[in-house]
Amino acid sequence: MNSTNRVDIPKTYTEPLASILNNLRLERIQPGLYRGDNLVQVTGRVYGGQVFGQATVAAADHVKRTLDIDDDERLCHSMTAAFLRPGRLDAPLLFHVEQTNDGHSFSTRTVHAIQDDNVIFSARISFQLRQPSVSLGLTQPEVTGPDNLRSSVDYFASMDHWWAKNMSSTNAIDMRWVEGDIYAKPDPVRRPHQYLWLKSRSAMPEGTSRTVQRAVLGYSADQFMLEPAMRAMGLHWMSRNISVATLDHEIWWHRNFDMSDWILADMTCLSAQNGRALCTASFFQNDKHIATMNQEGMVRFKHLSSSVPTE
């Protein structure tokens, strides 16, 4: 495929980041229509963060080409998304981008991810010109730094388990939990809160746009946003009696950041009921509040234990 038919994203040859960035390098089919492939997943279904990141890139490229402006001249600042159907790994995704609005300062795009003529994901993404303004934000919490915490990369590499081996080779994000991870065992405290450090395992390539940085943060977050709810319920990712899936996701990007450097996520479960959980997260880098996310997801029990609180 001629590279001019794809969204321009700087390359790296260091895996697994190379595969993630290549996955975001969407093919332009025609104005307003993009094609994306799927990352390999042991779950057998398309990873929600992949679709989130690809939709961000598709909308940003459409704004750039429609208005004939430079990269990041209008930066994405918010997205509201709904995950409507699980996606299959054996079929590509088509991203249909609608030009909802282009104003003096803001642009809005509606993006639908389509597979086999079915919409599996829908999002509204807003972009804004950089403008002078008062700057306020939350204060970064003081917690144990990442250098003193166990790396998810080392943890997965040390496990003799097919799922861990897959995560070790395919997950481009290094994650470090202040309260300890909940992959193989639950949090004994059952707290509805966690602090998590994250960054890309290898450096983002030189010339990476701010838009791609934001897309990669969205890609990363879908894998841990529901963990505060799981902690509070005494669950872990290898629990056999649960079903977890994203229903909807909101993100507000406040400030620029670099995924190559450590980011702190301050995360809380706000509510859980009727098989759903709502979690929120504030993200910080170098003492700056860079993003805020909300995610509601399905957290269902196949066999509800008496130890799990219900209404």
Side-chain angles (χ1 to χ4, degrees):
M1 179 60 62
N2 191 324
S3 61
T4 59
N5 292 331
R6 291 189 176 271
V7 177
D8 184 22
I9 294 177
K11 290 185 178 182
T12 179
Y13 296 97
T14 305
E15 292 289 2
L17 181 61
S19 293
I20 305 305
L21 296 182
N22 188 58
N23 180 256
L24 296 176
R25 199 171 289 112
L26 302 177
E27 178 187 353
R28 301 185 185 101
I29 303 298
Q30 61 188 45
L33 187 63
Y34 298 79
R35 178 187 182 276
D37 295 320
N38 300 312
L39 295 164
V40 176
Q41 298 292 320
V42 296
T43 61
R45 64 189 183 193
V46 174
Y47 168 54
Q50 169 206 303
V51 187
F52 194 97
Q54 290 173 322
T56 304
V57 169
D61 187 72
H62 191 272
V63 169
K64 171 187 173 182
R65 294 170 72 83
T66 301
L67 299 182
D68 191 22
I69 57 178
D70 295 333
D71 283 334
D72 298 340
E73 189 169 331
R74 292 199 178 203
L75 269 174
C76 51
H77 69 88
S78 71
M79 179 194 285
T80 300
F83 294 84
L84 305 174
R85 295 179 177 87
R88 298 193 347 264
L89 293 176
D90 60 353
L93 300 178
L94 292 177
F95 292 86
H96 182 259
V97 184
E98 299 174 3
Q99 185 179 354
T100 309
N101 177 63
D102 284 313
H104 178 71
S105 301
F106 291 88
S107 292
T108 304
R109 295 295 184 269
T110 300
V111 182
H112 301 294
I114 301 169
Q115 189 178 65
D116 300 328
D117 296 325
N118 292 316
V119 177
I120 69 167
F121 170 93
S122 183
R124 178 196 59 78
I125 309 174
S126 185
F127 299 79
Q128 184 189 14
L129 283 169
R130 182 172 177 84
Q131 296 173 313
S133 174
V134 173
S135 182
L136 301 172
L138 297 177
T139 300
Q140 180 171 323
E142 294 186 8
V143 300
T144 304
D147 292 341
N148 298 313
L149 300 171
R150 180 170 64 173
S151 165
S152 61
V153 178
D154 296 337
Y155 173 66
F156 294 139
S158 68
M159 291 184 66
D160 185 16
H161 190 278
W162 61 269
W163 175 80
K165 291 184 182 299
N166 178 268
M167 290 290 285
S168 177
S169 61
T170 63
N171 196 336
I173 306 302
D174 186 352
M175 299 172 287
R176 305 187 182 191
W177 292 259
V178 173
E179 297 85 3
D181 67 82
I182 56 168
Y183 279 114
K185 59 183 180 180
D187 185 339
V189 180
R190 293 202 175 187
R191 69 198 105 195
H193 181 269
Q194 71 175 19
Y195 291 112
L196 169 69
W197 292 96
L198 70 145
K199 72 177 183 70
S200 57
R201 286 170 57 172
S202 56
M204 300 290 287
E206 184 177 353
T208 299
S209 68
R210 295 168 181 173
T211 294
V212 171
Q213 297 277 4
R214 295 179 183 209
V216 173
L217 179 60
Y219 156 84
S220 307
D222 193 50
Q223 62 186 303
F224 53 72
M225 276 296 295
L226 292 175
E227 287 192 343
M230 296 174 63
R231 283 184 184 275
M233 297 177 190
L235 302 173
H236 57 89
W237 284 108
M238 292 187 182
S239 298
R240 296 183 178 180
N241 67 331
I242 63 168
S243 180
V244 179
T246 303
L247 297 174
D248 46 59
H249 191 119
E250 298 176 303
I251 180 171
W252 296 266
W253 295 279
H254 308 309
R255 293 169 179 83
N256 298 322
F257 55 88
D258 184 356
M259 287 296 301
S260 304
D261 196 6
W262 287 110
I263 294 170
L264 175 65
D266 180 356
M267 309 173 64
T268 301
C269 175
L270 301 178
S271 177
Q273 73 295 310
N274 202 35
R276 305 191 319 276
L278 175 63
C279 296
T280 188
S282 297
F283 293 80
F284 303 88
Q285 186 175 78
N286 299 324
D287 297 321
K288 294 182 179 179
H289 184 195
I290 61 169
T292 301
M293 297 187 194
N294 292 332
Q295 185 176 101
E296 185 178 49
M298 179 185 71
V299 183
R300 288 180 178 172
F301 298 83
K302 297 178 182 177
H303 303 288
L304 190 61
S305 169
S306 60
S307 64
V308 177
T310 60
E311 293 183 337

